[in-house]
Each structure stands twice: as C-alpha cells, then as structure tokens.
Amino acid sequence: MLNGAVLPEPEPSLCRALAADFRDVGYTAEAVRAAWGDAADDAIARGLRSPADRALGVRDDALAVLGRLLVLGMPQAAASVDRALARTGADGLVRLGLASVSGGEVAPLAVVRPQSFTAPFESGQWWIASDLDEAALGGPLPEDHVLGVGGASLTLAGLQLSTPAARGLDIGAGCGIQALRARAHVDHVVATDISERALGFTRLNALLNGVDGIDVRLGSLFEPVAGEQFDRIVSNPPFVITPRVADVPAYEYRDGGMVGDDVVAAFVQGVGEHLAPGGIAQLLGNWETRDGEPGLDRVRAWVETSPVALDAWVVERESLDPLSYAELWVRDGGTQAGMRGFSGLVDAWIDDFASRNVTEVGFGYLLLRRPLAGAPTLARYERLAGSTAGGEPGRAPRRRPRCP
Ligand SMILES: C[S@@+](CC[C@H](N)C(=O)[O-])C[C@H]1O[C@@H](n2cnc3c(N)ncnc32)[C@H](O)[C@@H]1O
C-alpha cells in the first residue's frame, strides 16, 4: 500500500502565509496540549485520537479547528478552515498538497504538528508537516509513509553538537527535523533521502519555519554526495532489522532494504571519506549479537575496518532479545494487519534472526570523528548500565516506552 499521488508542494509565499497564520492563532505545542489536556495528548502518540477530539467538544475556534485538522487528521468544514487560516485558507492548504476539498469539507492529506524542542542551553519551536499517521489514518501505514517527529528523532536532535560548522549532511532526512536542527549551528546543510515525498516535506518544513540553507538531494546513503566532504554528518537511518521474505511490509521510514544490521555497517564504513578532517558524524543504530559475538564488538570491527581511520564513541543504550524486538516492530505501523497476521510476522523475524544466530539486538548512539591529522585516539564502546528495557529505533514512542 502506498500514499496517494499528491506530493507536498513547497511554494515559498504560501508557506510564509501559513506560518503567519499559525503565529496569529498561537498554534504551539503547548497551546494544543493545553486545549485537550496531557492525557489526551499522550494518547495521540499511542495512535488514539478520540480522547483529544472529545476534549475539544463543540469548540470551533481557530486552535480547535487546526488541532482537529492538522494534529488529529480529521476533516473540517471549509468555512471553519478559512476562518482559522485567514491568509492561507482551505485553498492554500490544497495548493501546498496538505489537504483536499470536497463538498464544503477539507480533508487533511498530511499532519502539520507544532513541535517544541529542548536541548541543553537551547530550545525552539517548529511546525513539522509529515504524512498522516496511525492516529489519523485509523489503520496501517503505507510503505512510503513519511515519518513525523518521533522519540528517536528527538533523541538525535538532542544529541547533535551545538558548535559552529560550515557544511553539514543529513542522510535520511524524512520530514527534515535533523536538517532543521543542524542548521541552527551549521551554515549549509545537504539533506538526502530515497523518498521524493520525504524531500518534499523537508523543503516545505524548511520554508514553513523560515530556515534557508538546506538543499535536498534524492538518492541512497552517500550516492548523492559522491566526492564531497562535510564537517558534520547526522543520520537517523532506516536501521530497523527486517526479514527479507515475501509479505513482510518494507516501510521506507525504518527499513533500509538490507539484511540484518548491514545498513548501519554500510554507514560506518562509508562515512569516513565524506568527513572533512576533524569532521564528526552522529547517528543512531541497531546492532546484532551474532554467534556469541557482542553487538558492540561488531560495531568496533566496522569502525576498525573503515577505509578512513576514525575516532569512535559508541553507546549501547538498550538491548532486546529477538522475540521482543520482533513484537515491537511487528506492532509498529500496524503491520499485524498484513497477509501473514501478527504471529506469522513474528515468526518471520524469529526465523531471520535464527538464520544469523542472533541472540540480542542493541540500540544506541554512534559518534565518529575523522582525526584532523594522524591516527585515531578515541575508541570508546560502552553499554549503559541496566540497558535491557526496550529499543527505540525509527519511530515515536507508541505502545511501549521506547525513548525519552
Ligand atoms: C527513521 S527515518 C528518519 C527521518 C528523520 N531524519 C528523523 O530523524 O525523524 C529514516 C529515513 O531514511 C530514509 N531512507 C530509507 N532508506 C534510505 C537510503 N538507502 N538512503 C537514504 N535514506 C533512506 C527514509 O525514507 C526515511 O525518511
């Protein structure tokens, strides 16, 4: 199943108008959360939108209309949308590829959620457009779903270095959250993705938030930046380990199409030649413990066989046994509705792990640095104490606490 043919249409003046409308309405994460309350707001992240809708009741003010339309993904009367978005109107949302109008009703084609962000010494507020999620769709996600801001997105955004740099690269930009975050400290950022749809959202979100200096490029991993070097590279890559068999959905947002943890290995071994001397890459990843060899030792081997010598600081935050990992990712995205059914999908994951003698899957953060000169001096591989509760790779914390 794929999304419809409508792509986000990042038209600059319309994006500016929409941002001005949002400012006028006071469309912020805090205001929306206050409008329906903390419990209902948390329920949206678990895929449940009715508590928020019920809390709004019959309210028809601009904040309530935008909350229903653009956070919960519920159709609204065109007249109410025209009132809520005085400059953009329902027609503007249609021209941006964010909604369709029929019979006096506006149906959202995307969510546009206000997102507050806090990191040590920094905070910010963005509006982030992305595809309708499970709460909005009320069912499984299409395989080309473009992810909004989830727990993993915020983890990496919070880990990003906040010292100045000239050139940055975000691989697997999705809605563009990491590129936006990087631009706070990096003069120019190249944002890549294999999804044209994702790059449309990245451009639209940059315009909506008044952020320039982000160029988008279509292509896999390092292909779009062949021969180029960067001072900063960030990636929340599609690292979810997925069986390569029929009838297992291949979600673009979480699955790089490779076997096991190969996508993380490919990143580690390919990143060195794209780092300028002194440049730093930061990414999230999963790694397998195979044949008794701990996942962190395998990551160390990837670093040590990189064609460009790298300093490394790798933290394994959590780990899961294969069954728990399978259940977590079968539930994510509503995949249990597929041809194989829930237990058939879990079996596919278990068979896949068994074929490589995988006994554990680690999740964590990698910081890789190309030394300014000379040989690497940092090789730190650590496992956080008590780190066995649950992994938070690609997506938002949903049914289990996967990420802060
Ligand atoms: C987990 S999402 C991360 C999105 C966003 N950067 C964030 O932090 O929320 C991974 C992204 O990688 C993209 N992707 C998948 N395979 C890729 C590949 N081979 N090369 C580059 N990007 C890829 C997906 O389309 C998706 O947008």
Side-chain angles (χ1 to χ4, degrees):
M1 185 175 61
L2 295 177
N3 264 296
V6 180
L7 283 174
E9 190 52 58
E11 205 282 307
S13 61
L14 269 174
C15 288
R16 279 194 296 274
L18 186 58
D21 283 336
F22 285 165
R23 273 191 292 275
D24 284 357
V25 174
Y27 185 53
T28 64
E30 289 70 27
V32 168
R33 188 170 171 93
W36 45 53
D38 293 349
D41 203 56
D42 293 344
I44 298 167
R46 299 192 301 272
L48 265 180
R49 68 181 181 180
S50 62
D53 182 38
R54 289 164 69 108
L56 291 178
V58 294
R59 278 181 60 175
D60 193 32
D61 56 285
L63 188 64
V65 170
L66 294 187
R68 279 197 213 91
L69 182 76
L70 297 177
V71 177
L72 305 182
M74 301 173 69
Q76 298 294 291
S80 303
V81 174
D82 286 341
R83 267 198 310 277
L85 299 173
R87 299 172 184 78
T88 322
D91 178 56
L93 290 183
V94 173
R95 282 159 55 211
L96 285 168
L98 299 176
S100 62
V101 180
S102 162
E105 200 172 68
V106 182
L109 298 175
V111 290
V112 187
R113 292 183 170 152
Q115 179 68 51
S116 53
F117 167 76
T118 17
F121 314 113
E122 283 178 82
S123 63
Q125 183 75 240
W126 294 301
W127 297 291
I128 302 290
S130 61
D131 271 327
L132 297 173
D133 60 10
E134 291 140 294
L137 290 170
L141 301 174
E143 287 181 313
D144 62 347
H145 175 76
V146 175
L147 198 63
V149 175
S153 320
L154 290 174
T155 298
L156 183 61
L159 288 171
Q160 281 200 34
L161 299 177
S162 51
T163 46
R167 294 202 74 211
L169 170 65
D170 172 14
I171 292 190
C175 64
I177 173 91
Q178 307 305 336
L180 285 174
R181 167 76 181 109
R183 263 294 282 132
H185 303 285
V186 179
D187 296 340
H188 181 266
V189 174
V190 175
T192 72
D193 207 291
I194 50 157
S195 159
E196 204 174 327
R197 188 170 181 77
L199 294 178
F201 279 117
T202 294
R203 288 182 55 225
L204 189 140
N205 288 329
L207 289 166
L208 194 54
N209 291 284
V211 176
D212 62 4
I214 297 179
D215 285 344
V216 302
R217 296 192 201 164
L218 187 68
S220 179
L221 291 178
F222 299 104
E223 278 168 19
V225 292
E228 293 180 58
Q229 293 191 333
F230 300 85
D231 306 302
R232 290 287 151 71
I233 299 179
V234 288
S235 186
N236 172 12
F239 56 80
V240 176
I241 297 162
T242 308
R244 299 286 148 227
V245 290
D247 301 331
V248 172
Y251 290 119
E252 267 174 9
Y253 67 81
R254 68 180 214 195
D255 168 16
M258 297 188 191
V259 171
D261 49 21
D262 283 0
V263 73
V264 183
F267 190 101
V268 171
Q269 299 201 307
V271 75
E273 65 176 290
H274 296 284
L275 285 170
I280 290 176
Q282 293 177 281
L283 73 148
L284 306 179
N286 269 154
W287 37 83
E288 297 177 337
T289 290
R290 282 188 198 169
D291 290 324
E293 184 183 11
L296 274 180
D297 288 358
R298 296 184 54 250
V299 176
R300 182 194 291 266
W302 300 336
V303 173
E304 287 175 355
T305 52
S306 158
V308 174
L310 295 168
D311 286 313
W313 182 10
V314 182
V315 176
E316 183 174 286
R317 196 187 73 177
E318 294 156 356
S319 71
L320 285 177
D321 62 85
L323 175 58
S324 304
Y325 188 92
E327 283 188 52
L328 177 68
W329 292 108
V330 170
R331 289 209 169 89
D332 172 86
T335 35
Q336 68 269 36
M339 293 280 287
R340 285 173 178 258
F342 182 81
S343 66
L345 282 171
V346 169
D347 284 347
W349 253 268
I350 299 295
D351 288 347
D352 181 53
F353 283 133
S355 71
R356 294 185 297 280
N357 286 327
V358 174
T359 50
E360 194 177 311
V361 183
F363 164 72
Y365 323 133
L366 299 92
L367 186 147
L368 305 167
R369 179 178 59 198
R370 182 173 186 165
L372 256 181
T377 52
L378 177 70
R380 192 168 158 180
Y381 297 83
E382 56 191 304
R383 197 171 168 155
L384 290 187
S387 61
T388 52
E392 156 64 4
R395 305 193 58 232
R398 296 268 161 187
R399 296 158 194 88
R400 302 178 46 181
R402 280 185 261 151
C403 201

